[in-house]
Structure formats: C-alpha cells, structure tokens
Amino acid sequence: KEKLLLIRIKKDLLNLINYLKKQQLITGYNDSLYEKKIEVENMNEHLMVLSNTDKLTNIPNRRYFHHRLDEIIFEYEKTQKPFSLMMMDIDHFKRVNDRYGHQIGDQVLIQVAAILSENLPENAVVARYGGEEFVVLLPGMSENDAMATAEILKDSIEYAHWDSVNRMTISAGIATFTEDDDSYSIITKADQALYLSKERGRNCATHFNMVSS
C-alpha cells in the first residue's frame, strides 16, 4: 500500500510540474503577445507622425493642417470661440533658388519654419502648405490679435541672422473665422489677403477685412 501511495504521489507531482510548466509557457506567450502589441502601436504612432510631418522642415504638413482646421471649426460650432488663419509666403524665394541654388533655398525654408515655430503661442499650429508657403492656425485669436502676431512673425524673419543670404522677408494674409465660413472659404479669404500684401509691396501683413472694405 505504501508503494502504491508513493507511486500515486509521484504521479501527482509529475502532473503538477507539467501543469506549472504549461502555465509558464502560456504566461510567456501572453507576455510576448503584449510586447508585440505595444511594438505595433508604437510603430503605428510613429508612422502617423511621419505622415503628418514635412520631411524638409520637420513641422506639420498640409495634411495635418487640414485635419486640425476641421477640428477647430468643429469646436467653433460648439463654443463660438474665435480663431484666425494666416497664410504666409517667403518674398522673392525664386531668386534665392536661382542665385544660390536649391540647397541654400532648402536651408532658408528650414530656418523660416524654425523662426515661425519659436515665435508662436503654444496652441498655434504652423505648417508648410507647399513650396515657400506656410500656414498658421491661431486658436482664440480675433482680428487684432492675429494681426499683432503676424507683425511679430514678419519682424522675426526680417531681422533674423541669415548665414547664406543677406535678408529675407515674408508677406502674410489673415482671415478670422465667422459663422458664414467653412474650411474652404477661410483659406480663400486668407489667400486673397496674402495677394493684397504682395500688391502692397510685400513684407507686410493684411487682413481680409482690408480686402473687402
């Protein structure tokens, strides 16, 4: 009887050891799955950042700008909180490329993007819209605040130190969102104001209200 009891105990111990081994394997497998899940999530987040970032200047791109504009308009419809949009163009940028080459032109674009980013409020969004054109979303800013911000940005560019070129300036067009606007109309208004800034001799900022008045 004692021998049978010892055999049974040994068998039960072996079963317990096998069970514990299986549980350890399952736990290890689950841990591996969790690690893979985190890895995939991090990779997706990284890809999302890349898809929304301009490769040259490392600021948000046009795609991200449109996404944030839609979000801010949605918020405006709920709260009526004002916001403005600014379109900016580097003055005579083609001359930089023609005279100094595209590599120097790229350096100018990078420095302009950095200056704009450094001189904007934290909640503002600056993006490269295309070529030498930049766009800024200014949440909470009415016409006067947006114009004051445009002057700060304009002066920051004009009086910056440029390693490869003598002097750079920008022209800006601003529009403040109204209840009659949508994403298309406010961009169009800011673009029209930008065109007027160029007509006025460049290196200046114009609000759409000056166009319509």
Side-chain angles (χ1 to χ4, degrees):
K1 289 183 179 179
E2 290 180 356
K3 187 175 182 180
L4 289 174
L5 182 61
L6 288 171
I7 291 173
R8 185 177 296 174
I9 291 172
K10 185 177 180 181
K11 184 178 180 181
D12 289 343
L13 283 172
L14 288 172
N15 288 335
L16 178 61
I17 290 170
N18 288 331
Y19 172 79
L20 291 174
K21 284 182 177 179
K22 288 180 180 179
Q23 287 299 110
Q24 187 176 8
L25 287 172
I26 291 172
T27 302
Y29 179 71
N30 287 337
D31 289 343
S32 179
L33 280 180
Y34 179 74
E35 290 173 1
K36 287 293 182 185
K37 179 175 178 291
I38 296 298
E39 184 179 336
V40 169
E41 288 177 352
N42 289 338
M43 188 177 298
N44 286 337
E45 184 177 348
H46 179 64
L47 289 173
M48 181 63 71
V49 171
L50 287 178
S51 68
N52 288 324
T53 303
D54 179 65
K55 291 181 180 180
L56 177 65
T57 61
N58 205 34
I59 64 172
N61 58 18
R62 185 169 181 161
R63 172 183 174 177
Y64 181 77
F65 157 73
H66 282 289
H67 170 71
R68 283 293 293 131
L69 177 58
D70 289 340
E71 287 184 338
I72 293 173
I73 291 174
F74 181 74
E75 182 182 349
Y76 173 88
E77 291 171 348
K78 292 189 302 181
T79 65
Q80 301 297 301
K81 185 178 179 180
F83 77 90
S84 296
L85 186 152
M86 186 189 312
M87 302 287 289
M88 289 174 294
D89 199 70
I90 302 175
D91 295 330
H92 304 297
F93 183 71
K94 186 177 182 300
R95 294 181 185 175
V96 175
N97 282 332
D98 291 344
R99 182 173 180 180
Y100 300 101
H102 288 278
Q103 287 187 332
I104 298 301
D106 286 349
Q107 291 177 18
V108 169
L109 289 170
I110 292 169
Q111 187 171 347
V112 167
I115 292 171
L116 296 178
S117 299
E118 291 167 2
N119 288 277
L120 281 167
E122 287 187 7
N123 66 338
V125 176
V126 58
R128 187 180 176 197
Y129 201 67
E132 68 271 25
E133 196 167 20
F134 295 82
V135 61
V136 180
L137 287 169
L138 298 167
M141 287 200 187
S142 58
E143 177 180 343
N144 291 338
D145 292 335
M147 284 294 292
T149 301
E151 289 296 327
I152 291 172
L153 297 178
K154 181 181 70 67
D155 290 347
S156 298
I157 297 294
E158 182 177 4
Y159 299 112
H161 172 73
W162 301 91
D163 292 330
S164 304
V165 294
N166 293 328
R167 177 174 175 265
M168 298 301 303
T169 61
I170 59 169
S171 299
I174 302 100
T176 302
F177 197 82
T178 71
E179 59 184 11
D180 297 322
D181 281 316
D182 56 24
S183 59
Y184 177 80
S185 66
I186 190 171
I187 292 173
T188 301
K189 288 178 177 179
D191 204 42
Q192 291 175 356
L194 173 60
Y195 180 79
L196 183 56
S197 288
K198 293 179 180 180
E199 289 288 299
R200 294 170 59 203
R202 294 182 170 84
N203 192 25
C204 63
T206 306
H207 195 279
F208 177 74
N209 288 343
M210 295 175 65
V211 178
S212 54
S213 61

